[in-house]
Amino acid sequence: MRNLYKLRTVLSVLLLLLLVLPAPVPSQEAEQTEKPDPALHQALIDLQNPWTVMCVAAHPDDEDGSTLTVLRRKYGVHTVSLFSTFGEGGQNAIGPELYEDLGVIRAHETVAASEVQGSEPHFLGFRDFGFSKSADETFRAWGEREILRRMVLQIRRLRPDVIITNHDTTSGHGHHQATGRTVIQAFFDAADPKQFPEQLSQVSTWQPQRLFVRSRGQDTPAGKEGPPQFFTIDPNETDPVRGVTYAQQALAGLQKHATQGPWPKTVPANGARMIRYNLVKQTTTAAPLPADAKNPLDGLRLPEPVATRFVAPTIEGKPLTEYLDRRLEILVALLNAKRRRAFTAPKEVVDTDPQRFQLMAQRLDNALAVAAGASVAIASAGEALVPGEPARLTASLINAGVAEIQIKQLRFKGLGIEKRLDAADKMLPSTETSTAVEVTVPKNATLTVPASEHLYDGRLFGEPLVAEAELSMEGVTFVVDTEARRDVAPAVEIVAVEPSPYVSTPATSQKPLEFNVRLKNHLPSEFRGLLRVQGQSLETGREIQIRPNATEVANLVVRTALPLSAQAQVQAQERSMAVTVDLPIPKEPIARRVVPLIYADAVVVSGRKVGYIPSSDQTLQRALAALGVDSKELTMDEVAKADLSTFHTIIIDNRGYQAHPELIANNARLLKFVEDGGTLLVFYHRTNEWNPDERRNRPQLAPYPIVIDDDRVTDEDAPIAFLQPRHPLLNFPNKITQKDFAGWIQERGLYFPKEWDAKYTAVLATNDKGEPPLRGGLLVAPYGRGNYIYTSFVWYRQLRAGLPGGYRMFANLISYGRRKETD
Ligand SMILES: [Zn+2]
């Protein structure tokens, strides 16, 4: 009590000082009408809520960001999200990355979205193998028992009181259904010690109290067990601290999933939709969900001995969140709470629910740190840690508050090293103190780059580096910490080798092999070494010099052409070359990438000149180069103004009208090009990017109507029927056979046309098992003196992967159409 009195005196003097100080300079004017500090508000409201809600989702962007935002920002619920996959089988609306590279980006997008939502993301790490039509297909790929095992483990680890999910058990993507089915099973299995008993050495069993599934439309589960039970969230309420609605915050979070866009730019003027969740499971001991529940926790009670320990500090009986403009009084209240051991309990009580006590104790320390203006930071001079080299880290302690803070201890943890750092004894108000963290990265530290090779091994986000400070104010000790993540990389990293795979065809197989290697020097000094490529009994190398911390592209040419021939084709898949970076002495490779070599027996009619409009990657450019075609990338300006008649064929990449909205205004020029004798080849588009839409000023883009739908053929081995076996597209210049459709990647096609004008010829049909054939995947029609081709097959995935059949069919598509009179 004596201490408390002293503190009050000190703080009151400080307050007085603040009041009598000269008026702030104009730049600080904002302080006069001080806006509430969202971080302080969050830290305080977090003290009012000891509950955890988990949102389970199949892919990044399937999480319910609105509900997560409301639960954390409005109520202070501890929110975690759990994702089955990294979403690497999806599309990429903004860049060239696909597969594991896309998974890395989507994982980071998820972290960014979670920061907006105030939630904590976790991943089950299943491979996203692309769109799947059924739960059974997904279970076959992932292992039904394995999904359950991983989900049970995460529930036991994260201990949610309530689980919510957007996914039901029967609709949509097979990954969604499988995830929706598993969470229902896991709800009781997580509490059953007979399930996965081997996990119990690291975690305890855990029984969530309620499970909710998002309701779509007016479906009320016709229950034998009485009326439907649900809760409703209104995301349109304005967050009084941030000044925007929760729906607006949630949309800002959703927009972080940029690869999956485009997303709406604003919340609809009449507000976002109300969100409703139906209760599908609850424990027999859970309190009944009240009618008109406004959140999934309504009515739940903690056991008496635990509940009585979680009473948030107040001032004159009112929550601290009502005193946001009186930070010092908040600080006093928090110091008092800490002093009277709030959120702690006798061991036998803590042991009944240790993680909840740990969570709330951390939240109290965090609130104290925020109110006191205390924080810790860790920074590094380089972007990555290099084994055997100094880590070049700095730990800083910041006191942005108005009172002195004692430093009892500053510690570093990371890279298997734990050490105490030198630090001052105290920090005066508005000061910062930094100290160098002198550690050497262990020589045997495991690399975390390229990130795409670490999607599933727990190293995706790099090595965690933690700085932790034990601080004290007025005799009250509290802990603040921070975690930074850094990649562990070789001194020089091979960021990319282009092209990879290396595809050659009869037109290019006798040319020297040429690679562009993007190299990144992670050292603060110049790197000198050797860049080599070897394999197929060929080898070449050159010296490299890379400036400190720079990224440079080095060109490597293997002058002797590979003895590739048609006979070599059989072994084509096995061929590869290795690119390495070697230290000069000892001549030891420090980085290595393998480049597959593929021979495709694909020819294009001679003299073709091709213009192409890529969307977001270099697949078209590389495929045309591999085919030895005279080609040119067309800018929007050239589409609008240049003489297109110099081209025989023009290609619009998949989703090209979405990637280049200007194409719509210039579509008439492209159709004129066809009318005058050219071939226009258009790859797949999504329904909302293609079908005529007056509101978006989008006419029918094809010369004769094509209306597309959401139909997909997801089985990459689905049967292919040649509807027009003698059609030139299947015969010239390459004779296409079933073999050309073997070994496809991911899927056959998507957004197949459902209606098309009779002037089109449908060339191929395909279907998933048990479904009627889709015949619109490759449509061709004469128009004027030229030809128009629309195709929903995923040629780009096959070209990118170097599938010879994909090159042969692509060559025929380019070659289609008569030669011009001028030729
Ligand atoms: Zn999804």
Side-chain angles (χ1 to χ4, degrees):
M1 279 297 117
R2 208 179 60 229
N3 274 342
L4 172 64
Y5 180 73
K6 193 176 108 197
L7 174 75
R8 281 220 159 127
T9 325
V10 170
L11 294 179
S12 328
V13 171
L14 278 168
L15 249 180
L16 255 175
L17 268 174
L18 280 177
L19 292 174
V20 299
L21 281 173
V25 289
S27 68
Q28 286 173 300
E29 214 169 45
E31 263 188 39
Q32 303 287 21
T33 54
E34 200 186 341
K35 271 195 178 167
D37 172 4
L40 180 61
H41 180 266
Q42 188 68 61
L44 295 176
I45 204 158
D46 284 352
L47 300 180
Q48 299 172 20
N49 204 311
W51 303 98
T52 297
V53 172
M54 173 189 274
C55 177
V56 173
H59 310 109
D61 87 3
D62 287 334
E63 77 276 23
D64 177 0
S66 298
T67 299
L68 287 169
T69 302
V70 172
L71 290 177
R72 179 76 200 282
R73 301 303 184 204
K74 184 178 175 187
Y75 299 109
V77 177
H78 178 231
T79 47
V80 297
S81 47
L82 183 62
F83 298 88
S84 301
T85 74
F86 295 103
E88 66 272 30
Q91 302 170 54
N92 184 348
I94 54 162
E97 301 83 1
L98 288 178
Y99 313 116
E100 282 78 11
D101 290 319
L102 176 60
V104 172
I105 295 174
R106 294 191 70 180
H108 286 279
E109 287 176 347
T110 304
V111 170
S114 299
E115 273 167 25
V116 178
Q117 298 153 359
S119 64
E120 193 186 281
H122 297 267
F123 298 90
L124 294 181
F126 286 102
R127 202 174 75 80
D128 177 355
F129 54 88
F131 193 88
S132 148
K133 287 181 177 172
S134 72
D136 287 341
E137 184 191 358
T138 304
F139 282 140
R140 272 198 301 281
W142 294 350
E144 190 166 355
R145 191 79 188 145
E146 181 60 13
I147 315 185
L148 183 64
R149 185 187 72 77
R150 294 191 200 180
M151 201 178 288
V152 162
L153 179 62
Q154 291 301 327
I155 292 172
R156 287 171 174 175
R157 241 168 46 79
L158 299 165
R159 297 161 72 104
D161 300 293
V162 166
I163 301 177
I164 62 172
T165 180
N166 269 333
H167 305 317
D168 63 30
T169 56
T170 53
S171 56
H173 201 311
H175 298 171
H176 295 188
Q177 298 179 38
T179 302
R181 281 199 212 175
T182 306
V183 68
I184 287 177
Q185 182 67 32
F187 182 78
F188 285 118
D189 282 0
D192 182 350
K194 291 202 282 299
Q195 292 293 342
F196 311 105
E198 73 285 356
Q199 294 178 358
L200 301 178
S201 61
Q202 354 160 16
V203 290
S204 313
T205 57
W206 179 252
Q207 180 60 67
Q209 303 213 41
R210 295 171 177 159
L211 169 64
F212 293 89
V213 176
R214 176 91 170 254
S215 151
R216 305 272 170 209
Q218 312 98 316
D219 56 322
T220 36
K224 301 166 203 141
E225 301 129 37
Q229 291 186 281
F230 57 89
F231 74 90
T232 315
I233 291 254
D234 179 2
N236 297 301
E237 221 177 298
T238 298
D239 177 341
V241 186
R242 294 169 188 82
V244 291
T245 66
Y246 298 111
Q248 284 169 313
Q249 293 176 49
L251 178 59
L254 189 62
Q255 286 163 346
K256 298 287 180 192
H257 295 289
T259 56
Q260 306 308 298
W263 299 107
K265 291 196 171 54
T266 54
V267 173
N270 55 349
R273 270 187 293 176
M274 298 286 280
I275 298 165
R276 195 173 118 168
Y277 277 88
N278 293 319
L279 181 68
V280 298
K281 290 259 179 225
Q282 62 182 327
T283 56
T284 47
T285 52
L289 184 71
D292 293 329
K294 292 287 181 280
N295 86 52
L297 298 158
D298 274 0
L300 292 183
R301 296 274 172 274
L302 289 170
E304 189 69 15
V306 176
T308 52
R309 309 306 305 173
F310 292 139
V311 179
T314 55
I315 295 174
E316 288 166 354
K318 289 192 212 152
L320 300 188
T321 44
E322 293 188 17
Y323 297 85
L324 287 181
D325 52 344
R326 290 147 76 175
R327 198 177 275 254
L328 286 176
E329 285 175 57
I330 289 173
L331 184 56
V332 172
L334 292 170
L335 288 169
N336 284 341
K338 185 84 184 172
R339 198 174 270 122
R340 67 173 155 76
R341 304 177 57 76
F343 305 146
T344 61
K347 187 173 179 302
E348 64 273 19
V349 177
V350 172
D351 284 349
T352 62
D353 204 351
Q355 264 160 292
R356 202 183 305 272
F357 277 96
Q358 201 186 342
L359 170 73
M360 294 311 285
Q362 277 169 358
R363 285 181 154 196
L364 180 56
D365 277 18
N366 178 54
L368 251 172
V370 174
S375 58
V376 54
I378 190 158
S380 62
E383 281 173 39
L385 305 163
V386 179
E389 298 286 327
R392 298 190 291 148
L393 304 169
T394 311
S396 305
L397 275 163
I398 300 121
N399 179 359
V402 294
E404 190 176 291
I405 299 173
Q406 263 65 46
I407 303 168
K408 299 183 81 170
Q409 218 189 99
L410 179 61
R411 298 187 70 79
F412 167 80
K413 284 184 216 167
L415 295 159
I417 300 162
E418 261 201 74
K419 67 184 282 184
R420 203 174 162 145
L421 304 174
D422 291 331
D425 308 340
K426 62 182 184 186
M427 276 191 292
L428 296 172
S430 301
T431 60
E432 185 175 329
T433 160
S434 293
T435 173
V437 183
E438 276 160 18
V439 292
T440 298
V441 182
K443 265 208 150 76
N444 60 355
T446 313
L447 299 185
T448 66
V449 296
S452 57
E453 288 176 14
H454 297 282
L455 204 50
Y456 312 111
D457 67 3
R459 298 204 170 82
L460 169 60
F461 296 104
E463 185 73 20
L465 306 173
V466 175
E468 184 187 275
E470 203 180 305
L471 306 175
S472 129
M473 265 185 115
E474 296 299 323
V476 174
T477 300
F478 59 100
V479 174
V480 293
D481 60 11
T482 188
E483 183 189 278
R485 295 275 184 154
R486 288 291 178 277
D487 275 326
V488 181
V492 167
E493 178 190 351
I494 301 175
V495 179
V497 180
E498 310 281 354
S500 180
Y502 197 104
V503 179
S504 59
T505 65
T508 53
S509 67
Q510 293 311 304
K511 289 185 181 170
L513 276 78
E514 190 173 342
F515 298 96
N516 286 312
V517 186
R518 182 177 291 270
L519 299 162
K520 183 163 190 175
N521 181 2
H522 288 290
L523 296 177
S525 52
E526 187 182 72
F527 176 89
R528 284 163 184 265
L530 226 65
L531 178 66
R532 285 195 303 150
V533 58
Q534 56 191 316
Q536 310 305 318
S537 62
L538 295 175
E539 180 175 348
T540 192
R542 53 169 285 196
E543 284 177 15
I544 46 168
Q545 255 169 278
I546 311 171
R547 286 168 293 128
N549 291 315
T551 300
E552 291 176 18
V553 176
N555 183 263
L556 257 184
V557 179
V558 185
R559 301 226 169 261
T560 324
L562 272 182
L564 283 170
S565 61
Q567 291 96 307
Q569 195 186 345
V570 267
Q571 308 132 21
Q573 299 293 344
E574 319 300 330
R575 291 169 171 265
S576 66
M577 293 189 90
V579 176
T580 56
V581 173
D582 298 358
L583 295 174
I585 307 157
K587 210 172 143 188
E588 181 192 325
I590 54 166
R592 187 169 191 270
R593 285 278 184 119
V594 173
V595 180
L597 298 179
I598 293 166
Y599 179 77
D601 192 11
V603 294
V604 174
V605 288
S606 64
R608 280 266 136 168
K609 176 130 198 233
V610 175
Y612 62 97
I613 303 160
S615 288
S616 59
D617 76 358
Q618 294 177 297
T619 300
L620 287 177
Q621 182 201 329
R622 283 189 205 138
L624 290 163
L627 287 163
V629 172
D630 179 7
S631 65
K632 182 180 184 313
E633 178 175 338
L634 293 174
T635 63
M636 284 308 104
D637 202 47
E638 286 165 329
V639 174
K641 295 178 194 140
D643 175 14
L644 300 179
S645 73
T646 58
F647 298 101
H648 296 91
T649 302
I650 292 177
I651 309 168
I652 298 178
D653 206 347
N654 40 280
R655 307 184 63 193
Y657 287 95
Q658 165 66 31
H660 310 284
E662 312 93 304
L663 269 184
I664 295 177
N666 293 309
N667 199 47
R669 289 201 94 227
L670 292 167
L671 296 183
K672 181 75 170 51
F673 160 77
V674 181
E675 218 181 321
D676 292 346
T679 296
L680 184 61
L681 170 58
V682 181
F683 283 178
Y684 87 85
H685 283 72
R686 289 191 187 188
T687 41
N688 63 0
E689 296 164 354
W690 175 268
N691 289 337
D693 187 339
E694 271 178 32
R695 285 166 307 166
R696 298 181 199 201
N697 279 325
R698 188 171 58 227
Q700 172 59 245
L701 296 167
Y704 312 113
I706 294 176
V707 178
I708 61 175
D709 203 353
D710 289 335
D711 288 327
R712 302 168 175 247
V713 176
T714 61
D715 180 356
E716 60 270 28
D717 299 321
I720 297 280
F722 293 3
L723 300 174
Q724 303 286 337
R726 302 169 81 165
H727 196 280
L729 277 177
L730 298 178
N731 291 281
F732 181 77
N734 305 289
K735 169 85 186 152
I736 300 299
T737 67
Q738 287 293 338
K739 210 176 124 219
D740 292 308
F741 290 90
W744 269 41
I745 306 294
Q746 183 142 332
E747 60 201 346
R748 287 295 192 201
L750 62 181
Y751 310 110
F752 279 72
K754 63 172 174 186
E755 289 164 25
W756 53 91
D757 193 275
K759 293 196 180 64
Y760 290 101
T761 302
V763 181
L764 297 170
T766 183
N767 59 281
D768 275 324
K769 210 174 232 167
E771 295 183 2
L774 298 173
R775 305 163 70 92
L778 177 55
L779 299 173
V780 53
Y783 177 66
R785 293 185 292 134
N787 293 280
Y788 185 90
I789 306 174
Y790 185 91
T791 180
S792 303
F793 284 93
V794 284
W795 304 111
Y796 80 105
R797 290 195 189 269
Q798 319 316 319
L799 295 174
R800 197 173 155 128
L803 208 82
Y807 278 78
R808 288 162 50 76
M809 189 67 208
F810 182 55
N812 284 10
L813 290 165
I814 299 168
S815 302
Y816 191 69
R818 60 195 172 124
R819 297 174 66 90
K820 296 191 177 175
E821 288 86 356
T822 51
D823 287 350

